[in-house]
């Protein structure tokens, strides 16, 4: 399939100091490993996707499913935001729900937005039917996309892999798709711990195998999205989510740095115990406050409020970005990001202001 790619467009923009100070990949890898950097590296959750006109154009021709399952297209969409904004890292274009799908529970997108799982997982017998073995084999289209992306990035820009956390995936699987409030995973956790633990253990095995495959294909780090972690009371976080992420981090055995992003979670000790190199911080708390709660040698990632990208003016975005950079000045292990994903309605001029502010920070 012919997809227009222009590798030379990956070269740094005139105002990107990366041109003068080593590669963007090196900057990202240094921050991931808690080493000094010239300025914090930057990438944004959901940097690829509907906020970009070039993504929307491709989406006119292909379904989301085609985009993520066709390596050429997944690679192209992954690279789009890197070309446009000169980010220090690319994140694989895919979705957390490809893992449940590879275990036997498919998904599809609803016309009005949101996702729907194609079958229901309700009880122990449904959970027993899920197949966690051979997940990486069934996700070979991801391996192929990673290979193409690596070739295009050519060592200049870092590449991130990812997966959903067992708790967050369990919520989508038991709820049967998107929901205003996710309640069924919490109910199962409290009512039938044996069934919940079996599901979490199967997801832990599947996610571990999937991330190992991504690491073998050369990603520079992996992020675990525990986007629903904050739905848990702090007292339940470790048992329902934290311990499973800890098992994944332990099994990955430092073959690549791990970023744990657990949105809304304030169970700091349990977050630290996951063993993640970097903890992603949402915008519901001051970064300096999160820093005080975590061990000193923990990397931090975050946490500009994504709403600024739709509602504010570029000058405000630049000022708020600079405020975060000043707070984290001279701190090793800081990676600039939003507190959650880029909203589809984000204004291009705001993303440009953000990128330029980080890239020109001295
Ligand atoms: O960050 C990136 O740029 C990489 C790509 C990425 C997507 N989804 C693409 C996507 C990543 C990392 C995800 C993770 C993901 N997927 C999460 C966790 C992260 C978070 O935001 O908290 C979750 C909960 C999902 C599940 C999911 N995917 C839902 C509920 C939906 C439907 C709602 C929606 O936003 O449309 C998706 C769809 C989805 N995933 C899109 C994209 C670009 C939109 C697809 C389209 O219509 O083009």
């Amino acid at each position: 399939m012919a997809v227009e790619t222009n590798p030379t467009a990956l070269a740094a923009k005139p105002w990107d100091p990366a041109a003068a100070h080593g590669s963007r990949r090196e900057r990202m890898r240094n921050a991931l490993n808690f080493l000094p950097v010239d300025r914090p590296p930057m990438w944004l959750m959901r940097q690829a996707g509907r906020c970009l006109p070039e993504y929307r154009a491709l989406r006119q021709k292909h379904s989301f499913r085609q985009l993520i399952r066709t390596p050429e297209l997944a690679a192209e969409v992954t690279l789009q935001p890197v070309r446009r904004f000169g980010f220090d890292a690319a994140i694989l274009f895919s979705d957390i729900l490809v893992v449940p799908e590879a275990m036997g529970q498919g998904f599809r997108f609803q016309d009005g937005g949101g996702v729907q799982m194609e079958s229901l997982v309700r009880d122990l017998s449904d959970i027993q039917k899920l197949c966690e073995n051979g997940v990486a084999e069934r996700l070979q289209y991801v391996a192929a996309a990673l290979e193409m992306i690596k070739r295009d990035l050519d060592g200049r820009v870092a590449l991130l892999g990812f997966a959903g956390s067992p708790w967050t995936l369990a919520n989508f699987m038991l709820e049967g798709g998107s929901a205003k409030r996710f309640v069924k995973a919490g109910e199962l956790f409290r009512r039938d711990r044996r069934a919940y633990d079996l599901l979490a253990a199967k997801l832990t095995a599947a996610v571990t195998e999937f991330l190992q495959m991504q690491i073998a294909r050369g990603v520079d780090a992996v992020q675990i999205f525990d986007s629903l972690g904050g739905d848990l009371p702090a007292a339940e976080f470790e048992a329902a989510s934290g311990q499973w992420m800890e098992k994944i981090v332990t099994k990955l055995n430092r073959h690549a740095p791990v970023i744990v992003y657990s949105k809304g979670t304030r169970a700091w000790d349990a977050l630290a115990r996951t063993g993640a190199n970097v903890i992603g911080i949402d915008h519901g708390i001051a970064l300096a406050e999160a820093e005080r709660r975590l061990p000193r040698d923990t990397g931090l990632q975050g946490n500009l409020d994504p709403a600024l990208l739709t509602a504010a003016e570029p000058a405000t975005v630049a000022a708020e970005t600079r405020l975060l950079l000043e707070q984290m000045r001279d701190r090793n292990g800081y990676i600039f990001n939003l507190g959650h994903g880029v909203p589809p309605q984000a204004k291009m001029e705001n993303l440009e202001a953000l990128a330029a502010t980080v890239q020109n920070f001295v």
Side-chain angles (χ1 to χ4, degrees):
M1 183 174 314
V3 173
E4 286 162 44
T5 52
N6 176 5
T8 56
L10 268 178
K13 294 190 177 179
W15 36 266
D16 183 359
H21 300 278
S23 78
R24 296 183 249 167
R25 181 182 185 207
E26 194 181 309
R27 179 182 292 120
M28 183 71 184
R29 284 164 64 109
N30 283 347
L32 285 162
N33 290 298
F34 219 76
L35 297 168
V37 287
D38 55 343
R39 55 119 176 124
M42 156 186 54
W43 71 280
L44 306 180
M45 292 185 272
R46 293 274 184 118
Q47 64 192 25
R50 285 166 298 186
C51 63
L52 297 182
E54 53 270 38
Y55 173 82
R56 293 197 298 266
L58 261 190
R59 247 326 238 111
Q60 295 281 309
K61 293 187 270 177
H62 308 279
S63 66
F64 177 74
R65 197 178 191 76
Q66 280 172 329
L67 292 184
I68 61 174
R69 295 180 76 102
T70 312
E72 291 86 349
L73 293 172
E76 167 61 16
V77 176
T78 299
L79 297 167
Q80 283 177 346
V82 177
R83 284 193 204 115
R84 187 186 264 268
F85 298 114
F87 293 136
D88 299 294
I91 179 161
L92 164 73
F93 188 76
S94 186
D95 200 88
I96 62 168
L97 299 177
V98 300
V99 166
E101 182 168 69
M103 295 171 76
Q105 191 189 22
F107 68 96
R108 60 184 177 80
F109 290 102
Q110 293 162 310
D111 290 340
V115 294
Q116 195 176 353
M117 309 309 285
E118 282 174 342
S119 55
L120 273 182
V121 171
R122 286 154 307 192
D123 52 24
L124 190 61
S125 76
D126 294 335
I127 293 166
Q128 281 164 338
K129 285 184 205 128
L130 294 166
C131 181
E132 72 275 25
N133 296 318
V135 158
E137 192 53 41
R138 292 191 286 285
L139 294 170
Q140 276 307 305
Y141 60 88
V142 170
L146 288 172
E147 249 166 50
M148 301 187 78
I149 300 163
K150 285 283 286 184
R151 210 175 308 138
D152 208 296
L153 294 176
D154 196 25
R156 288 172 294 169
V157 174
L159 177 57
L160 305 177
F162 73 90
S165 73
W167 160 253
T168 294
L169 291 174
N171 270 276
F172 277 93
M173 294 171 81
L174 290 159
E175 211 71 45
S178 303
K180 275 214 176 64
R181 278 181 63 238
F182 287 86
V183 294
K184 298 210 170 81
E187 277 168 17
L188 187 71
F189 172 75
R190 285 162 208 130
R191 174 170 51 81
D192 186 349
R193 184 66 62 91
R194 190 168 142 247
Y196 177 82
D197 281 356
L198 179 66
L199 177 57
K202 282 183 166 231
L203 284 165
T204 296
V207 165
T208 302
E209 187 185 312
F210 185 39
L211 292 178
Q212 281 169 335
M213 179 266 267
Q214 296 180 36
I215 293 168
R217 299 291 162 150
V219 299
D220 293 292
V222 293
Q223 173 155 316
I224 302 175
F225 282 92
D226 187 32
S227 307
L228 297 174
D231 286 6
L232 284 162
E236 288 178 345
F237 176 79
E238 174 119 55
S241 184
Q243 64 159 327
W244 305 102
M245 295 195 284
E246 180 186 351
K247 287 185 184 28
I248 296 167
V249 174
T250 304
K251 286 234 184 71
L252 295 181
N253 198 20
R254 308 258 162 236
H255 284 296
V258 181
I259 307 169
V260 162
Y261 168 75
S262 189
K263 182 172 183 285
T265 300
R266 302 293 178 257
W268 302 104
D269 293 347
L271 280 177
R273 272 197 298 276
T274 61
N277 303 68
V278 178
I279 302 289
I281 308 296
D282 63 88
H283 48 288
I285 186 167
L287 208 47
E289 175 69 15
E291 186 184 23
R292 275 194 292 278
R293 306 285 181 129
L294 288 163
R296 291 184 69 87
D297 59 351
T298 310
L300 292 174
Q301 176 177 278
N303 73 345
L304 191 76
D305 186 345
L308 283 170
L309 297 175
T310 52
E313 294 303 313
T316 311
V317 172
E320 295 292 324
T321 298
R322 208 168 299 120
L323 220 56
L324 278 180
L325 293 167
E326 288 295 351
Q327 280 173 32
M328 292 293 119
R329 184 184 276 287
D330 297 331
R331 189 201 196 273
N332 284 351
Y334 173 56
I335 298 167
F336 186 89
N337 206 317
L338 303 176
H340 197 190
V342 178
Q345 310 80 7
K347 295 190 222 158
M348 281 306 109
E349 58 269 33
N350 282 343
L351 286 162
E352 279 158 16
L354 180 159
T357 304
V358 179
Q359 284 157 356
N360 293 317
F361 186 69
V362 281

